[in-house]
Amino acid sequence: MTENSMFADGQFLLGTFSTNCSGGMSVTKVPERWVNSWDNNLRLGKMLDDAGIDFMLPIARWIGYGGETNFHGNVLETMTWATGLLAHTRNINVFATIHVAANHPAVVAKQIATIDQISRGRIGLNIVAGWNQPEYEALGLELPSGHEDRYGYAQEWFDVVKALWTKTETFDWDSKHFKLKNVLGDPRPSRKAPILNAAGSGQGRAFAVKNADFLFTPAIDLERSREEVAALKQQAVHEGRKVGVLTFSHVVCRPTEKEAKDYLQHFGQTNADWEAVDNLVRLQFAHAQSFPHDLLALIRDRMAAGHGGFPLVGTPEQVAEGILSLHVAGFGGTTLSFVDYAEEFPYFRDHVLPILEARGIRRAVSAAAAAA
């Protein structure tokens, strides 16, 4: 079997983020905000697949963020969500997002190997070491206070997964966190599954460059990002590895710049669910290091519009230029979010993707490839 398409050279990767969660990435009260039903996800997944979008990435959530909308209070579980989408699509990759503390590595290794058969090798794994203390409490778990402890556990967890995916005879495992006896991973994935990890702390990024194929980080200031991306890639080189750096973006694309900016103001300011935004920001800054703390005011506004994602706001030409600027900064791809993904994506598909293809960072999708 050929290599997973996530690893293909010469393609700026595009995906979607958080369509399994109510509200998607926009903490807004507008009535057209994303409804994360299975029917909506399936409708969107088929459109993305036909358009040649590379992947879909979910967020694993267990409790919402409160406010009037209880943002992310309704969430489809990611492993079963990914399986369903992969069974109904042909080319797109779909990730399962897994919290290591809540999922045994032997079970996850078996699940991914099973979905590999269902999808013919299009399943990916997004590893979460943990940061959201209320969710730990909801599950009866204790969030370790130090990043060293969280990532120490995550490293042992993923080492077990890798052993189950590679060893061909039964084995025992005796480490600080896992005591396994006479285990075997059978079946094993047919090809390398892409591994993704979002990391902000030093310990988290050390884990990512050692283990992940793609490191996920916000793009708040592109000058800062250019240096950050270069440093992360060099850090991976020191580990003898190649790691792609991805970010996430929010799209408001309209025929005119004024229409796009007016709608951003409407959903992302006037009708933002500010109580939920502040709960989200407070938790992110208390327990995670994903965002630079010196940019709090800017990040709060971006949290409302797109969960902190890079803004792609304007005409198709302006949105395309924004994506090109991410490419120039060194990112290997970005996720896209919309207030209503299924209603807004077709305009992006028809008017932005051709510009990216003409500029050489995306390949056109042939009819044969779409039907493969």
Side-chain angles (χ1 to χ4, degrees), residues 40-352:
N40 281 344
N41 273 275
L42 182 58
R43 175 189 169 206
L44 176 66
K46 289 180 176 180
M47 281 196 288
L48 298 172
D49 193 32
D50 290 342
I53 297 301
D54 301 292
F55 65 97
M56 297 177 74
L57 175 66
I59 290 179
R61 279 278 78 82
W62 304 102
I63 58 174
Y65 290 105
E68 183 178 321
T69 63
N70 193 23
F71 180 67
H72 284 190
N74 184 316
V75 176
L76 302 180
E77 189 279 323
T78 72
M79 193 73 81
T80 43
W81 170 89
T83 308
L85 286 168
L86 287 163
H88 285 90
T89 53
R90 298 178 300 272
N91 299 303
I92 195 168
N93 299 282
V94 184
F95 283 81
T97 296
I98 297 297
H99 289 247
V100 297
N103 297 271
H104 194 281
V107 176
V108 172
K110 180 74 75 174
Q111 289 172 318
I112 295 294
T114 303
I115 303 171
D116 171 81
Q117 292 193 18
I118 294 170
S119 66
R120 297 182 180 176
R122 293 183 287 121
I123 181 67
L125 176 61
N126 177 26
I127 299 172
V128 180
W131 63 271
N132 193 333
Q133 184 169 347
E135 290 196 323
Y136 272 67
E137 294 169 355
L139 298 176
L141 302 171
E142 183 176 343
L143 176 68
S145 58
H147 280 70
E148 296 88 350
D149 294 332
R150 296 182 215 173
Y151 283 101
Y153 182 91
Q155 187 62 64
E156 288 189 28
W157 185 94
F158 191 49
D159 286 343
V160 172
V161 170
K162 289 186 291 185
L164 288 162
W165 283 348
T166 55
K167 291 182 180 291
T168 57
E169 296 182 358
T170 57
F171 62 95
D172 297 340
W173 189 277
D174 187 359
S175 63
K176 178 180 178 180
H177 298 290
F178 297 102
K179 314 289 183 184
L180 312 180
K181 192 171 184 62
N182 198 36
V183 293
L184 175 66
D186 190 12
R188 291 172 290 280
S190 60
R191 62 182 180 182
K192 178 177 172 55
I195 305 298
L196 192 149
N197 179 246
S201 69
Q203 297 91 340
R205 290 183 170 182
F207 173 86
V209 298
K210 182 179 179 180
N211 298 283
D213 302 297
F214 301 97
L215 190 155
F216 204 56
T217 192
I220 306 299
D221 176 278
L222 288 191
E223 284 305 312
R224 182 184 298 203
S225 292
R226 188 190 301 267
E227 298 175 3
E228 178 187 22
V229 170
L232 288 168
K233 290 180 178 179
Q234 189 59 41
Q235 190 176 347
V237 169
H238 288 316
E239 291 285 342
R241 305 187 70 248
K242 179 182 178 182
V243 175
V245 183
L246 307 180
T247 193
F248 56 108
S249 307
H250 188 76
V251 180
V252 185
C253 189
R254 298 292 188 272
T256 69
E257 182 179 7
K258 184 179 186 304
E259 287 177 273
K261 288 185 173 180
D262 286 351
Y263 188 60
L264 176 64
Q265 175 69 32
H266 173 68
F267 82 85
Q269 290 288 323
T270 306
N271 289 287
D273 188 344
W274 288 112
E275 182 181 350
V277 170
D278 288 336
N279 289 336
L280 176 56
V281 171
R282 175 177 52 81
L283 284 167
Q284 284 276 351
F285 278 72
H287 303 294
Q289 296 181 22
S290 300
F291 295 94
H293 288 212
D294 59 323
L295 298 176
L296 175 58
L298 175 62
I299 289 166
R300 184 174 183 265
D301 282 348
R302 290 193 182 179
M303 280 288 184
H307 210 302
F310 185 76
L312 297 170
V313 180
T315 64
E317 292 77 13
Q318 290 171 316
V319 169
E321 286 299 327
I323 293 172
L324 285 159
S325 73
L326 293 173
H327 178 257
V328 170
F331 289 104
T334 187
T335 60
L336 309 166
S337 61
F338 306 83
V339 172
D340 186 332
Y341 297 78
E343 290 300 316
E344 295 180 62
F345 172 72
Y347 188 76
F348 177 93
R349 174 196 64 202
D350 295 343
H351 296 279
V352 179

